[in-house]
Amino acid sequence: MFKKILIANRGEIACRVIATARKMGIKTVAVYSDADKEARHVELADEAVHIGAAPSRESYLQADRIIAACKATGAEAVHPGYGFLSENEAFAKKVEEEGIAFIGPKHYSIAAMGDKIASKKLANEAKVNTIPGWNDAIESAERAVEIAKDIGYPVMIKASAGGGGKGLRVAFNDKEALEGFTACQNEARNSFGDDRIFIEKFVEQPRHIEIQVLGDAHGNVVYLNERECSIQRRHQKVIEEAPSPFISEETRKAMGEQAVALAKAVKYQSAGTVEFVVGKNQDFYFLEMNTRLQVEHPVTECITGLDLVELMIRVAAGEELPITQADVKRNGWSIECRINAEDPFRNFLPSTGRLVKFQPPKADMFAADTQHLGGVRVDTGVYDGGEIPMYYDSMIAKLIVHGKDRNDAIAKMREALNGFVIRGVSSNIPFQAALLAHPKFVSGEFNTGFIAEHYAKGFHAEDVPHSQPDFLLALAAFMHRRYRARASRISGQLEGHGVKIGEKFVVVTVDAQGQQHHTDVSVTDFQNGTGSSAVTLNGKTYRMSSDASLGAVVVTGLVNDQPFTAQVERGAGKNPLALRVAHNGTQVEAMVLSPLGARLMKLMPYKAPPDLSKFLMSPMPGLLVEVSVQPGQQVQAGEKLAVIEAMKMENVLFAARDGVVSKVSAGKGESLAVDQVILEFA
């Protein structure tokens, strides 16, 4: 077994590999860029080596520097994680030639399967069903349009070296094919250094189901069941689960056996994933093989009880697989939510910056622990006070739960999301909460178009209706009374002027139009001295109790004898006097006032927000890579104004209406803050 390995990656996957290596008694070496010098993976590793500037092409994609770091530290093997160089045939080959073990498949397997064009040809030769398409690199956007018309719209335009949603577009007409080809080529060149593009038929209403395979150097290959990955936004997975609520036992077996046959055909050694698109009648077609560890591998670990990273390391060290197909278990149900640094209420634009507060829910399992059904696992590469840099992908953490069945796992995940505190950057937690509560998700009736269909106009606060909206107001009143009770016990108060707790309150909320809504509430003790209160409003009574510390964001307790987890903060929103209450994805800002205070509140004038319609402002932090207009230029609605790059994605800003540009305030190459003015209209 290796004594020391180097992890050629960053973020949560680097931390994940370090955890298993530590469990196995193996020393670890981290590599880091300028942007990651204080990153969590650097802190966790036994040693760390600086390999270059912040952009990944100047650091994490520098194969020679990574190999040099191995030699300098005496690392005997390299784990590439996912992304970056994990599916780079030349890197794997060079590592092996330098006498360093590659913790992944052999370079010839990567060459055969990692390239989407080559893998489809090989799958055809192996008589595996594949989707109709053009499997050779396409030389121009005009040729792409011709091919797309021959195949028949809709088509999927894909970068051969693509992955993680980069270099991928769906086109429904000639215009989209022309633009999509150029955009895919640019993204692929920037992210992977390979701009080859191919086109295939886009199967409508498909499900994305993948099979985890594991092979060794002794010819053994097993499949570890499937993962359901159909909940995607712009081809980026959002929620993954294992097993799938859709496929039958017969389909599972057929897909697994086909995946194993494909892996054996390329002498596959290590963990890998064979991806299929599955039709409504459970007919399935080979999409591609990912010759690396997947982001969503934890759900497979939970239901099988296996540590995939450990098995990858053992296979790379020459050991035989310790399991046969008959040993593979399927125990309970696991769901993973990807927690990303993006603002779901601003069309999921990237959100970079400092994590002012990072407090994940309490985790009680690592990797696979079959004794811990209903457990919570958090895989992350960040920490409280750390930075989310703009140079890499948007993932903050992966939240994984393991339950006895699917409904149990969904309930556990919703509760875990309620307890996940992220401040300083926006996150997609409210969106995840909405997805988990959606009737179609709960019933398992969805496909890869689920998000595009149900959130076609973006995601808005009203898309997360709370089953009991009065509970949020009741919780605000309950916590306010606890604050009052503490204040009443402070010593040194003037006699006759001390803080009175009171029982009658008015909860005031203000809607987007500035309209006030007043709700009368009474809060009374129903178990003396226990911190339990009966909160009555709108004819309903909530019996609440909680021993959460005042000032703590996460509040756990009982309401009508049922456990709950919510978040309550004072002065965290736009109104410094309000309590911000969040539960199950819904958030309200509520002022809890005395009846007199509420009457005075009604007399306060409403201050309308300023008119910003004459400004184009940056909707996110990022790099301004293009300004497409000049002062004095007339623009029409829908015309491109600027392009901002953040987290490896290009974001194009378009004109909302016709107008004339009066001033350009920011220049190409400038780093923008959120809401920074780029240009003004006359």
Side-chain angles (χ1 to χ4, degrees), residues 331-334 372-375 402-409 412:
N331 183 24
W333 208 285
S334 183
H372 237 129
L373 287 176
H402 189 201
K404 63 179 184 291
D405 56 33
R406 190 166 187 268
N407 287 338
D408 183 41
K412 294 289 181 185

Side-chain angles (χ1 to χ4, degrees), residues 182-305:
T182 305
C184 284
Q185 206 166 47
N186 289 341
E187 281 184 11
R189 191 183 297 115
N190 290 336
S191 294
F192 311 107
D194 180 348
D195 64 0
R196 290 174 302 147
I197 305 295
F198 70 106
I199 293 180
E200 65 188 19
K201 179 73 176 172
F202 178 60
V203 179
E204 296 185 81
Q205 296 191 352
R207 292 184 82 120
H208 182 125
I209 297 175
E210 58 191 33
I211 301 287
Q212 175 73 59
V213 295
L214 195 61
D216 64 20
H218 307 276
N220 302 306
V221 182
V222 296
Y223 68 92
L224 308 180
N225 302 310
E226 82 285 358
R227 294 187 288 261
E228 172 69 75
C229 304
S230 299
I231 301 295
Q232 303 179 4
R233 196 188 71 82
R234 295 182 182 169
H235 312 292
Q236 186 83 38
K237 296 164 189 171
V238 179
I239 296 177
E240 302 101 350
E241 56 184 309
S244 167
F246 176 64
I247 66 171
S248 65
E249 200 62 56
E250 292 75 24
T251 304
R252 176 178 293 114
K253 187 169 184 287
M255 290 173 73
E257 288 173 353
Q258 195 174 98
V260 166
L262 198 61
K264 284 185 174 179
V266 292
K267 299 183 174 62
Y268 198 84
Q269 303 172 27
S270 195
T273 298
V274 181
E275 300 194 344
F276 294 94
V277 58
V278 184
K280 61 181 180 181
N281 298 320
Q282 303 206 19
D283 49 322
F284 56 89
Y285 303 93
F286 169 74
L287 277 179
E288 61 184 0
M289 184 174 188
N290 290 312
T291 53
R292 55 171 167 80
L293 191 66
Q294 294 278 93
V295 175
E296 58 273 18
H297 75 273
V299 293
T300 297
E301 294 184 324
C302 287
I303 67 163
T304 60

